[in-house]
Amino acid sequence: RLYTWGAAMDSAAAFGTRGANCGNGARCTADSIARGVCPQGWHLPSYKDFSILYGNVGGIRIATRELKASLGFHGSNKNDYVFSAAPAGYRSSPGSYYSQDDGAYFWINRETGDSSAYSARIYDGGTIRANTHYKGDILTDWYFAELNIYDKSIANSVRCVRDTVPGDPTITPISWRNML
């Protein structure tokens, strides 16, 4: 499924009110925890959660190769981390769909204004022909991961992060869940 920011936050933000479920009408910031559409015991990932994820798999340059699903994307992947990001793309506010074969976009619980919020992007554009000054035409893989700002009216996927309980050895620090 693809969710607008307000639907992902599962709050009054779906109707234009800011402060999407971050407590006391406050704007969602870098340190906010928001459950949104995630089930009990889970929350929408923060900017920090995705930064840690990207760092743990080797950085933004190779995160796509490490985190993308085995099927659907261009090229091959390792999927050692079983994140299995599917190339669902996104839906624009007028209702057109984009990047369904090469991009996964996930809402992050951090707003940047009344009409924008962060999203994590995992993108694989396949193999492209790059012209370099010294080597001439070469084939190269065009993939990357990023954290970027998008309009809240577009629709992205949602991944949930398991809440941690201090001292509970049965809960890993970061566990991810796909919302369907």
Side-chain angles (χ1 to χ4, degrees):
R1 291 187 182 172
L2 300 176
Y3 301 81
T4 62
W5 165 261
M9 296 305 290
D10 191 26
S11 71
F15 305 104
T17 305
R18 60 181 214 160
N21 202 16
C22 288
N24 300 325
R27 183 176 301 284
C28 295
T29 64
D31 298 321
S32 298
I33 299 294
R35 182 169 160 214
V37 295
C38 297
Q40 186 69 34
W42 297 77
H43 62 272
L44 286 168
S46 67
Y47 189 96
K48 183 178 179 181
D49 290 331
F50 265 103
S51 295
I52 290 169
L53 177 65
Y54 288 169
N56 284 341
V57 302
I60 60 171
R61 176 66 181 109
I62 65 167
T64 292
R65 188 183 71 206
E66 299 292 333
L67 300 173
K68 68 182 182 171
S70 298
L71 299 173
F73 274 103
H74 301 284
S76 62
N77 71 318
K78 295 174 96 178
N79 202 21
D80 291 339
Y81 299 92
V82 196
F83 189 82
S84 299
Y90 68 94
R91 190 190 75 224
S92 67
S93 54
S96 298
Y97 292 85
Y98 297 97
S99 297
Q100 290 176 295
D101 294 326
D102 48 26
Y105 298 73
F106 301 99
W107 281 122
I108 294 174
N109 70 351
R110 183 175 177 185
E111 294 177 275
T112 59
D114 289 341
S115 62
S116 58
Y118 274 93
S119 181
R121 179 179 178 194
I122 296 173
Y123 186 82
D124 184 348
T127 302
I128 62 169
R129 186 168 300 281
N131 189 331
T132 66
H133 179 71
Y134 297 106
K135 296 181 181 177
D137 284 346
I138 59 170
L139 292 178
T140 185
D141 289 330
W142 185 34
Y143 56 86
F144 58 88
E146 67 179 357
L147 301 170
N148 212 335
I149 299 168
Y150 292 90
D151 192 283
K152 290 179 182 178
S153 65
I154 70 168
N156 289 333
S157 298
V158 169
R159 271 293 164 103
C160 300
V161 178
R162 181 175 286 201
D163 296 341
T164 58
V165 178
D168 185 345
T170 64
I171 298 177
T172 56
I174 297 181
S175 294
W176 294 81
R177 176 180 178 158
N178 192 24
M179 289 299 297
L180 299 176

